[in-house]
Amino acid sequence: MAIDGVNGEGYTVPFLINGENVHPERSFDVTNPATGKVVHRSGSASEVEVQAAVDAAAQAFKTWKKTTPQQRRNIFLKVADNLESRKEELAKYMMEETGCPQQWADFNLMTAKDFLYDVGGRISSVEGSYPATNSPETGAIVLREPFGVVLAIAPWNAPYILGMRSVLYPIAAGNTAILKGSEACPRTMWGLCSVFQEGGLPAGVLNMLVHEPANAPAITKSLISNPEIKKINFTGSTAVGRIIGRLAGENLKPVLQELGGKASAIVWEDADLDNAAVQCALGAFLNSGQICMSTERILVHKNVRAEFEKKLVGAIDHIFNGEGSDAPVLITAAAVDKIKALVSDALSKGANLVYGDANAPEEKTKTRIRPMVIAGIKEDMDLYKTESFGPTVSLFEIESEEEALRIANDTEYGLTSAVFTEDLRRGLRFANEIETGAVHINSMTVHDESMLPHGGAKASGYGRFNASTGLSEWVRTKTVTFKV
C-alpha cells in the first residue's frame, strides 16, 4: 500500500485513507460507457486497505464526536465553496466515468451543494431531552449520541447527490465514515471526498475506497462484519440490498437502505396534459432512465389517452430525441441487453410500441439505446414487474381510481409515484392509498431535495435520508438517570 499524490498520464485513482492518497497493489480499468474507451485505472481494495480505513475512522471518531455544531457547520460551508470552485473539474470526472450529459453532472453538483448548506444549518437541531420520571427524587437526561464508524455505500447513477448524502448526514451527527464508492466512477467519488479534505475535515473522518467487481462479496462482508462499523447505509438495487440487509442482520447492525423502484404516474382525465406529458417524459428518461425514482408506468385515463399519447410523443421528441441527437447512454452494454430482452418479451406476448423502434440499428456504441414507450403490458410479461432501469416506460389505460391504485400498487417496490389532476382532493386521495415513500402531485416521480425525507416502502428500502429525519438516523439515545 503506497501513499502519494501522483497524477498525470496513466493516472490511477487512489483511495483516501486518513487524509492521504493511498495506492493499493491491485488496480483495474475504468471505461467511459459513452465511448467504450478506458479513461484511467483505479485502485482495488484488499483487506489491508479495508483495515486501514476502519482504523483511521475509529481513531478519528474519538475527537470528531466532541466537535461542536459550529465547527462542523463551518467546515461544511467551506466544502460547499470548494465544490463550487471545482465544479468544472468534478463534472468532467462524472461525465467521463458514467457517460452522462453535462446537465446531469451540473444538477448533481448543485444538489450536493444544497445538501451542505441545508445540513450545516440543521446540525444544532440534534438535541437531547430532560424528561419527567416516576419519582420526584429521580432525574433523567436522554442524550443523543453518534454511533461511531459508519459504512456508506453509494452508486454511480447520481454519484455526487447519493455519495454526498451517504456521508454528510452521518458526519454531521458526529460519526466518522468510510465511503465504499462504485467501481464505475471511482474518480468521481474521490473528487467528492477530496473537497471535504480541502474544506478542513480532519484526517480519518471521511475515508474512501473502491474495489473491482469480483471482490465485492469479500470486501463488503469484511467491512460489515468489522466490529468498528456500527451502522450502514446503502443505495442501490433491491437485489444487492437484500444481501446487505442479510449481512447487517447477521452482525446485528442497523442499516438504512434506499433501493429499486417501479414508479407509476397517474394521469387523470382532468389533468393539464401538456404538463403531464413533459413531466412523464422527464420522469421516464432523465439520465437514460437510470434513476431509482424513474417513471416506469404511466396510467392514463381512457378519456384522454389518445390526446396524452400525442403530447407525450411530442415531449419525448423535443427533449430527448431531437434531430441529430445521440441515443441515451447506459452504464454498460449488459444494461442495454436487459432493456432489449424486456421489450422483446413484451412484444412477443402482445404488447405494442407507442414510441421507439425495438429493431433499431445498433448505435455507435453498444451502451446506447433510444427511448421506447410500450402499451398493452400484461401481468405475464417480464416488463410488468421488472424495474427496467433504462429508457423505457409502459403505458396503461385506466377508467377508475380503484383500477389505477391496483396497478400502481401491484409491484414489490414502493419508492415514489406521481399523480396529475387539477382536483387536489383527488390527488390527496391517491396519495393516501399509493404504497410509496413519496407521491408528487402534478410533477414527475423523480424528486429528491435536502429539505424532504426520502426513502421507500416495501422492497424499496427502509429508513430515511435527508432533512431532520435523515440526521436523526445517525444518532442513538442514551438514558442517564440520577438522584436529586
Side-chain angles (χ1 to χ4, degrees), residues 11-87:
Y11 181 69
T12 299
V13 181
F15 302 157
L16 187 63
I17 298 176
N18 204 29
E20 301 280 355
N21 283 332
V22 173
H23 291 272
E25 291 184 4
R26 293 181 60 85
S27 63
F28 61 94
D29 288 339
V30 179
T31 302
N32 182 339
T35 65
K37 297 179 179 179
V38 173
V39 288
H40 45 247
R41 293 182 65 80
S42 172
S44 180
S46 69
E47 289 289 341
V48 173
E49 291 78 36
V50 166
Q51 193 58 52
V54 170
D55 290 344
Q59 185 64 31
F61 177 65
K62 296 175 182 178
T63 52
W64 180 250
K65 68 179 180 179
K66 297 176 182 178
T67 55
T68 66
Q70 182 183 35
Q71 289 173 310
R72 297 174 201 167
R73 180 200 66 202
N74 290 345
I75 289 172
F76 294 160
L77 295 180
K78 290 178 182 177
V79 173
D81 290 341
N82 292 338
L83 205 66
E84 177 64 27
S85 65
R86 292 178 59 189
K87 63 183 180 182

Side-chain angles (χ1 to χ4, degrees), residues 155-230:
W156 53 266
N157 57 322
Y160 288 124
I161 297 173
L162 304 179
M164 176 64 76
R165 74 177 192 187
S166 75
V167 298
L168 176 61
Y169 288 88
I171 290 171
N175 303 277
T176 56
I178 299 171
L179 173 60
K180 190 174 85 71
S182 168
E183 70 278 3
C185 58
R187 197 170 192 182
T188 302
M189 296 295 193
W190 174 87
L192 174 66
C193 294
S194 71
V195 295
F196 275 93
Q197 183 173 307
E198 291 176 1
L201 193 71
V205 175
L206 175 58
N207 306 274
M208 169 263 176
L209 50 79
V210 297
H211 53 70
E212 55 199 307
N215 289 349
I219 297 300
T220 303
K221 182 177 181 180
S222 177
L223 282 163
I224 293 176
S225 63
N226 191 296
E228 293 289 356
I229 300 292
K230 304 302 183 185

Side-chain angles (χ1 to χ4, degrees), residues 116-154:
L116 287 160
Y117 289 139
D118 183 84
V119 173
R122 289 184 191 273
I123 298 175
S124 59
S125 68
V126 178
E127 55 187 17
S129 60
Y130 189 79
T133 67
N134 287 330
S135 170
E137 298 178 353
T138 300
I141 300 172
V142 178
L143 307 175
R144 301 182 79 189
E145 298 182 331
F147 285 83
V149 182
V150 168
L151 172 61
I153 308 175

Side-chain angles (χ1 to χ4, degrees), residues 6 50 207 382 386:
V6 176
V50 166
N207 306 274
D382 294 340
T386 304

